Amino acid sequence: MISAMKNEGTVPITVQVAYGTRGELRELLKRERKRRALLSADRQWSTQRLSRRFAADVRAAWRQRLAVMRNEGELLDTLDALAAFGVRQELKERGWDRPWPPYPAKARNAGRWPGAKQGGYPETLSFRLPASLENQARAACWHTSAPAIHELHNWHERQQLILPKRRSSPAGLDDALQVYGRLAAKVTTTGTIWRAGVRRGMETAAKLCAAPKPV
């Protein structure tokens, strides 16, 4: 079993997403970066006429403030921040934002999990998530999907014994496919969580961009 990862560090993520997602993200992040520039122009973050020591303190305070705003979803000016906030919200919505038992090494095996949907996501996104968040999401996906994954392995074994012996579709194949569909619907892959998280982050960023600017 793989034990829970440390909170420090990040993990690279690559996920297939719907067409148009990359373009929409570019515009949202561009607008959020402009909002960050406006926030940083506030007088409290100015380092003019300060000594090097006090200027360093102000810059450190600004970096800390940035980290808090990104973590709380008050500023989503980078893809990493947007995705991490969205994934946390997705886990919370599912009731999965809690400790999970360790997952087996095969949960990290390359390739799709049984039941994973194929197609429909022509674009690719790459970002980084906090290691603890990635670990929590993967553990949640595995433990909620494991019973269905086990049944899907059994399903494949049964079909492999039947199909090679027949030249035409065997009787009951439609029923077998319905069983497969019901089991597959119970599998939640990490890709599903990453896509949902990115979408939630985008929706939050759009609201932030549309909010009235403070006077």
Side-chain angles (χ1 to χ4, degrees), residues 26-41 62 75-78 209 213:
R26 278 194 299 270
E27 287 303 311
L28 286 171
L29 294 176
K30 180 179 179 181
R31 293 165 66 186
E32 278 290 87
R33 286 193 293 269
K34 287 182 178 179
R35 204 164 63 83
R36 180 188 64 198
L38 289 174
L39 291 170
S40 67
W62 169 243
L75 178 69
L76 301 177
D77 60 326
T78 69
C209 293
K213 296 180 177 59

PDB file of all heavy atoms in Angstrom, residues 26-41 62 75-78 209 213:
ATOM      1  N   ARG A  26      -7.346  30.523 -21.145  1.00  0.00           N
ATOM      2  CA  ARG A  26      -6.410  31.612 -21.446  1.00  0.00           C
ATOM      3  C   ARG A  26      -7.030  32.959 -21.151  1.00  0.00           C
ATOM      4  O   ARG A  26      -6.401  33.838 -20.559  1.00  0.00           O
ATOM      5  CB  ARG A  26      -5.958  31.539 -22.913  1.00  0.00           C
ATOM      6  CG  ARG A  26      -4.833  30.553 -23.170  1.00  0.00           C
ATOM      7  CD  ARG A  26      -4.201  30.781 -24.537  1.00  0.00           C
ATOM      8  NE  ARG A  26      -5.156  30.594 -25.613  1.00  0.00           N
ATOM      9  CZ  ARG A  26      -5.384  29.425 -26.217  1.00  0.00           C
ATOM     10  NH1 ARG A  26      -4.719  28.349 -25.827  1.00  0.00           N
ATOM     11  NH2 ARG A  26      -6.254  29.340 -27.195  1.00  0.00           N
ATOM     12  N   GLU A  27      -8.277  33.135 -21.565  1.00  0.00           N
ATOM     13  CA  GLU A  27      -8.950  34.418 -21.340  1.00  0.00           C
ATOM     14  C   GLU A  27      -9.197  34.668 -19.859  1.00  0.00           C
ATOM     15  O   GLU A  27      -8.998  35.775 -19.349  1.00  0.00           O
ATOM     16  CB  GLU A  27     -10.274  34.452 -22.111  1.00  0.00           C
ATOM     17  CG  GLU A  27     -10.100  34.597 -23.609  1.00  0.00           C
ATOM     18  CD  GLU A  27      -9.306  35.847 -23.978  1.00  0.00           C
ATOM     19  OE1 GLU A  27      -9.636  36.934 -23.456  1.00  0.00           O
ATOM     20  OE2 GLU A  27      -8.358  35.723 -24.762  1.00  0.00           O
ATOM     21  N   LEU A  28      -9.649  33.646 -19.141  1.00  0.00           N
ATOM     22  CA  LEU A  28      -9.926  33.804 -17.712  1.00  0.00           C
ATOM     23  C   LEU A  28      -8.651  34.136 -16.931  1.00  0.00           C
ATOM     24  O   LEU A  28      -8.648  35.036 -16.080  1.00  0.00           O
ATOM     25  CB  LEU A  28     -10.556  32.531 -17.147  1.00  0.00           C
ATOM     26  CG  LEU A  28     -12.020  32.274 -17.512  1.00  0.00           C
ATOM     27  CD1 LEU A  28     -12.433  30.874 -17.072  1.00  0.00           C
ATOM     28  CD2 LEU A  28     -12.926  33.318 -16.873  1.00  0.00           C
ATOM     29  N   LEU A  29      -7.566  33.419 -17.222  1.00  0.00           N
ATOM     30  CA  LEU A  29      -6.318  33.660 -16.507  1.00  0.00           C
ATOM     31  C   LEU A  29      -5.739  35.026 -16.844  1.00  0.00           C
ATOM     32  O   LEU A  29      -5.149  35.693 -15.978  1.00  0.00           O
ATOM     33  CB  LEU A  29      -5.306  32.558 -16.828  1.00  0.00           C
ATOM     34  CG  LEU A  29      -5.679  31.161 -16.331  1.00  0.00           C
ATOM     35  CD1 LEU A  29      -4.647  30.132 -16.787  1.00  0.00           C
ATOM     36  CD2 LEU A  29      -5.804  31.136 -14.814  1.00  0.00           C
ATOM     37  N   LYS A  30      -5.916  35.450 -18.074  1.00  0.00           N
ATOM     38  CA  LYS A  30      -5.462  36.789 -18.467  1.00  0.00           C
ATOM     39  C   LYS A  30      -6.190  37.861 -17.671  1.00  0.00           C
ATOM     40  O   LYS A  30      -5.572  38.811 -17.161  1.00  0.00           O
ATOM     41  CB  LYS A  30      -5.711  36.989 -19.965  1.00  0.00           C
ATOM     42  CG  LYS A  30      -5.272  38.344 -20.492  1.00  0.00           C
ATOM     43  CD  LYS A  30      -5.536  38.451 -21.984  1.00  0.00           C
ATOM     44  CE  LYS A  30      -5.137  39.812 -22.522  1.00  0.00           C
ATOM     45  NZ  LYS A  30      -5.425  39.915 -23.982  1.00  0.00           N
ATOM     46  N   ARG A  31      -7.494  37.706 -17.502  1.00  0.00           N
ATOM     47  CA  ARG A  31      -8.287  38.671 -16.738  1.00  0.00           C
ATOM     48  C   ARG A  31      -7.945  38.619 -15.251  1.00  0.00           C
ATOM     49  O   ARG A  31      -7.892  39.657 -14.574  1.00  0.00           O
ATOM     50  CB  ARG A  31      -9.777  38.407 -16.962  1.00  0.00           C
ATOM     51  CG  ARG A  31     -10.234  38.697 -18.386  1.00  0.00           C
ATOM     52  CD  ARG A  31     -11.586  38.089 -18.684  1.00  0.00           C
ATOM     53  NE  ARG A  31     -12.638  38.696 -17.901  1.00  0.00           N
ATOM     54  CZ  ARG A  31     -13.900  38.256 -17.894  1.00  0.00           C
ATOM     55  NH1 ARG A  31     -14.235  37.206 -18.623  1.00  0.00           N
ATOM     56  NH2 ARG A  31     -14.815  38.862 -17.165  1.00  0.00           N
ATOM     57  N   GLU A  32      -7.680  37.426 -14.740  1.00  0.00           N
ATOM     58  CA  GLU A  32      -7.311  37.300 -13.332  1.00  0.00           C
ATOM     59  C   GLU A  32      -5.925  37.896 -13.059  1.00  0.00           C
ATOM     60  O   GLU A  32      -5.684  38.470 -11.992  1.00  0.00           O
ATOM     61  CB  GLU A  32      -7.350  35.839 -12.890  1.00  0.00           C
ATOM     62  CG  GLU A  32      -8.737  35.341 -12.532  1.00  0.00           C
ATOM     63  CD  GLU A  32      -9.240  35.974 -11.249  1.00  0.00           C
ATOM     64  OE1 GLU A  32      -9.838  37.078 -11.341  1.00  0.00           O
ATOM     65  OE2 GLU A  32      -9.050  35.404 -10.175  1.00  0.00           O
ATOM     66  N   ARG A  33      -5.013  37.773 -14.016  1.00  0.00           N
ATOM     67  CA  ARG A  33      -3.695  38.387 -13.837  1.00  0.00           C
ATOM     68  C   ARG A  33      -3.799  39.910 -13.827  1.00  0.00           C
ATOM     69  O   ARG A  33      -3.073  40.588 -13.085  1.00  0.00           O
ATOM     70  CB  ARG A  33      -2.739  37.910 -14.934  1.00  0.00           C
ATOM     71  CG  ARG A  33      -2.263  36.474 -14.733  1.00  0.00           C
ATOM     72  CD  ARG A  33      -1.094  36.147 -15.650  1.00  0.00           C
ATOM     73  NE  ARG A  33      -1.495  36.128 -17.049  1.00  0.00           N
ATOM     74  CZ  ARG A  33      -1.909  35.045 -17.684  1.00  0.00           C
ATOM     75  NH1 ARG A  33      -2.021  33.886 -17.037  1.00  0.00           N
ATOM     76  NH2 ARG A  33      -2.223  35.107 -18.966  1.00  0.00           N
ATOM     77  N   LYS A  34      -4.703  40.439 -14.619  1.00  0.00           N
ATOM     78  CA  LYS A  34      -4.929  41.884 -14.592  1.00  0.00           C
ATOM     79  C   LYS A  34      -5.485  42.301 -13.234  1.00  0.00           C
ATOM     80  O   LYS A  34      -5.128  43.356 -12.693  1.00  0.00           O
ATOM     81  CB  LYS A  34      -5.899  42.292 -15.702  1.00  0.00           C
ATOM     82  CG  LYS A  34      -5.305  42.236 -17.105  1.00  0.00           C
ATOM     83  CD  LYS A  34      -6.316  42.703 -18.137  1.00  0.00           C
ATOM     84  CE  LYS A  34      -5.716  42.702 -19.534  1.00  0.00           C
ATOM     85  NZ  LYS A  34      -6.713  43.133 -20.550  1.00  0.00           N
ATOM     86  N   ARG A  35      -6.349  41.480 -12.680  1.00  0.00           N
ATOM     87  CA  ARG A  35      -6.920  41.789 -11.368  1.00  0.00           C
ATOM     88  C   ARG A  35      -5.838  41.714 -10.289  1.00  0.00           C
ATOM     89  O   ARG A  35      -5.825  42.515  -9.349  1.00  0.00           O
ATOM     90  CB  ARG A  35      -8.066  40.809 -11.060  1.00  0.00           C
ATOM     91  CG  ARG A  35      -9.081  41.340 -10.070  1.00  0.00           C
ATOM     92  CD  ARG A  35     -10.345  40.518 -10.109  1.00  0.00           C
ATOM     93  NE  ARG A  35     -10.137  39.145  -9.721  1.00  0.00           N
ATOM     94  CZ  ARG A  35     -10.112  38.738  -8.445  1.00  0.00           C
ATOM     95  NH1 ARG A  35     -10.278  39.598  -7.452  1.00  0.00           N
ATOM     96  NH2 ARG A  35      -9.931  37.473  -8.155  1.00  0.00           N
ATOM     97  N   ARG A  36      -4.926  40.752 -10.445  1.00  0.00           N
ATOM     98  CA  ARG A  36      -3.801  40.665  -9.508  1.00  0.00           C
ATOM     99  C   ARG A  36      -2.955  41.931  -9.567  1.00  0.00           C
ATOM    100  O   ARG A  36      -2.509  42.444  -8.525  1.00  0.00           O
ATOM    101  CB  ARG A  36      -2.938  39.451  -9.846  1.00  0.00           C
ATOM    102  CG  ARG A  36      -1.721  39.288  -8.915  1.00  0.00           C
ATOM    103  CD  ARG A  36      -0.813  38.189  -9.414  1.00  0.00           C
ATOM    104  NE  ARG A  36      -0.234  38.523 -10.706  1.00  0.00           N
ATOM    105  CZ  ARG A  36       0.314  37.631 -11.519  1.00  0.00           C
ATOM    106  NH1 ARG A  36       0.339  36.346 -11.199  1.00  0.00           N
ATOM    107  NH2 ARG A  36       0.820  38.011 -12.675  1.00  0.00           N
ATOM    108  N   ALA A  37      -2.729  42.441 -10.781  1.00  0.00           N
ATOM    109  CA  ALA A  37      -1.932  43.663 -10.921  1.00  0.00           C
ATOM    110  C   ALA A  37      -2.606  44.834 -10.214  1.00  0.00           C
ATOM    111  O   ALA A  37      -1.933  45.661  -9.572  1.00  0.00           O
ATOM    112  CB  ALA A  37      -1.722  43.979 -12.398  1.00  0.00           C
ATOM    113  N   LEU A  38      -3.923  44.913 -10.322  1.00  0.00           N
ATOM    114  CA  LEU A  38      -4.648  45.987  -9.639  1.00  0.00           C
ATOM    115  C   LEU A  38      -4.533  45.851  -8.122  1.00  0.00           C
ATOM    116  O   LEU A  38      -4.350  46.845  -7.409  1.00  0.00           O
ATOM    117  CB  LEU A  38      -6.119  45.969 -10.065  1.00  0.00           C
ATOM    118  CG  LEU A  38      -6.428  46.406 -11.493  1.00  0.00           C
ATOM    119  CD1 LEU A  38      -7.910  46.187 -11.799  1.00  0.00           C
ATOM    120  CD2 LEU A  38      -6.058  47.875 -11.697  1.00  0.00           C
ATOM    121  N   LEU A  39      -4.634  44.626  -7.641  1.00  0.00           N
ATOM    122  CA  LEU A  39      -4.522  44.400  -6.203  1.00  0.00           C
ATOM    123  C   LEU A  39      -3.122  44.745  -5.696  1.00  0.00           C
ATOM    124  O   LEU A  39      -2.970  45.336  -4.619  1.00  0.00           O
ATOM    125  CB  LEU A  39      -4.834  42.932  -5.885  1.00  0.00           C
ATOM    126  CG  LEU A  39      -6.290  42.494  -6.087  1.00  0.00           C
ATOM    127  CD1 LEU A  39      -6.400  40.969  -5.975  1.00  0.00           C
ATOM    128  CD2 LEU A  39      -7.204  43.154  -5.058  1.00  0.00           C
ATOM    129  N   SER A  40      -2.110  44.382  -6.470  1.00  0.00           N
ATOM    130  CA  SER A  40      -0.736  44.639  -6.038  1.00  0.00           C
ATOM    131  C   SER A  40      -0.397  46.125  -6.067  1.00  0.00           C
ATOM    132  O   SER A  40       0.573  46.548  -5.417  1.00  0.00           O
ATOM    133  CB  SER A  40       0.252  43.872  -6.920  1.00  0.00           C
ATOM    134  OG  SER A  40       0.239  44.377  -8.242  1.00  0.00           O
ATOM    135  N   ALA A  41      -1.190  46.908  -6.818  1.00  0.00           N
ATOM    136  CA  ALA A  41      -0.930  48.353  -6.903  1.00  0.00           C
ATOM    137  C   ALA A  41      -1.455  49.111  -5.683  1.00  0.00           C
ATOM    138  O   ALA A  41      -1.226  50.317  -5.559  1.00  0.00           O
ATOM    139  CB  ALA A  41      -1.566  48.917  -8.172  1.00  0.00           C
ATOM    140  N   TRP A  62       3.182  40.323   0.779  1.00  0.00           N
ATOM    141  CA  TRP A  62       2.375  40.238  -0.443  1.00  0.00           C
ATOM    142  C   TRP A  62       2.335  38.802  -0.965  1.00  0.00           C
ATOM    143  O   TRP A  62       1.283  38.310  -1.372  1.00  0.00           O
ATOM    144  CB  TRP A  62       2.922  41.180  -1.514  1.00  0.00           C
ATOM    145  CG  TRP A  62       2.336  40.981  -2.879  1.00  0.00           C
ATOM    146  CD1 TRP A  62       2.984  40.599  -4.002  1.00  0.00           C
ATOM    147  CD2 TRP A  62       0.962  41.137  -3.253  1.00  0.00           C
ATOM    148  NE1 TRP A  62       2.123  40.503  -5.066  1.00  0.00           N
ATOM    149  CE2 TRP A  62       0.872  40.835  -4.635  1.00  0.00           C
ATOM    150  CE3 TRP A  62      -0.188  41.498  -2.563  1.00  0.00           C
ATOM    151  CZ2 TRP A  62      -0.327  40.882  -5.332  1.00  0.00           C
ATOM    152  CZ3 TRP A  62      -1.394  41.542  -3.272  1.00  0.00           C
ATOM    153  CH2 TRP A  62      -1.456  41.236  -4.632  1.00  0.00           C
ATOM    154  N   LEU A  75      -8.525  34.639  -5.681  1.00  0.00           N
ATOM    155  CA  LEU A  75      -7.722  35.029  -6.839  1.00  0.00           C
ATOM    156  C   LEU A  75      -7.221  33.761  -7.501  1.00  0.00           C
ATOM    157  O   LEU A  75      -6.501  32.974  -6.879  1.00  0.00           O
ATOM    158  CB  LEU A  75      -6.538  35.912  -6.416  1.00  0.00           C
ATOM    159  CG  LEU A  75      -5.597  36.334  -7.553  1.00  0.00           C
ATOM    160  CD1 LEU A  75      -6.306  37.320  -8.491  1.00  0.00           C
ATOM    161  CD2 LEU A  75      -4.318  36.960  -6.992  1.00  0.00           C
ATOM    162  N   LEU A  76      -7.607  33.541  -8.752  1.00  0.00           N
ATOM    163  CA  LEU A  76      -7.219  32.331  -9.488  1.00  0.00           C
ATOM    164  C   LEU A  76      -6.482  32.754 -10.751  1.00  0.00           C
ATOM    165  O   LEU A  76      -6.991  32.622 -11.864  1.00  0.00           O
ATOM    166  CB  LEU A  76      -8.460  31.486  -9.803  1.00  0.00           C
ATOM    167  CG  LEU A  76      -9.267  31.039  -8.576  1.00  0.00           C
ATOM    168  CD1 LEU A  76     -10.513  30.275  -8.993  1.00  0.00           C
ATOM    169  CD2 LEU A  76      -8.403  30.205  -7.627  1.00  0.00           C
ATOM    170  N   ASP A  77      -5.282  33.265 -10.562  1.00  0.00           N
ATOM    171  CA  ASP A  77      -4.515  33.857 -11.652  1.00  0.00           C
ATOM    172  C   ASP A  77      -3.516  32.908 -12.288  1.00  0.00           C
ATOM    173  O   ASP A  77      -2.791  33.304 -13.197  1.00  0.00           O
ATOM    174  CB  ASP A  77      -3.789  35.111 -11.150  1.00  0.00           C
ATOM    175  CG  ASP A  77      -2.840  34.791 -10.003  1.00  0.00           C
ATOM    176  OD1 ASP A  77      -3.157  33.891  -9.200  1.00  0.00           O
ATOM    177  OD2 ASP A  77      -1.787  35.447  -9.905  1.00  0.00           O
ATOM    178  N   THR A  78      -3.435  31.683 -11.800  1.00  0.00           N
ATOM    179  CA  THR A  78      -2.584  30.661 -12.421  1.00  0.00           C
ATOM    180  C   THR A  78      -3.409  29.394 -12.599  1.00  0.00           C
ATOM    181  O   THR A  78      -4.366  29.156 -11.844  1.00  0.00           O
ATOM    182  CB  THR A  78      -1.349  30.333 -11.553  1.00  0.00           C
ATOM    183  OG1 THR A  78      -1.762  29.646 -10.365  1.00  0.00           O
ATOM    184  CG2 THR A  78      -0.592  31.602 -11.162  1.00  0.00           C
ATOM    185  N   CYS A 209     -13.980  37.622 -12.023  1.00  0.00           N
ATOM    186  CA  CYS A 209     -13.724  38.618 -13.052  1.00  0.00           C
ATOM    187  C   CYS A 209     -14.923  39.534 -13.260  1.00  0.00           C
ATOM    188  O   CYS A 209     -14.772  40.709 -13.610  1.00  0.00           O
ATOM    189  CB  CYS A 209     -13.352  37.942 -14.368  1.00  0.00           C
ATOM    190  SG  CYS A 209     -11.777  37.069 -14.340  1.00  0.00           S
ATOM    191  N   LYS A 213     -15.555  46.046  -9.336  1.00  0.00           N
ATOM    192  CA  LYS A 213     -14.251  46.425  -8.789  1.00  0.00           C
ATOM    193  C   LYS A 213     -14.446  47.386  -7.610  1.00  0.00           C
ATOM    194  O   LYS A 213     -15.285  48.277  -7.670  1.00  0.00           O
ATOM    195  CB  LYS A 213     -13.375  47.062  -9.857  1.00  0.00           C
ATOM    196  CG  LYS A 213     -13.002  46.134 -10.999  1.00  0.00           C
ATOM    197  CD  LYS A 213     -12.143  46.832 -12.007  1.00  0.00           C
ATOM    198  CE  LYS A 213     -11.709  45.864 -13.099  1.00  0.00           C
ATOM    199  NZ  LYS A 213     -12.828  45.250 -13.806  1.00  0.00           N
TER     200      LYS A 213
END
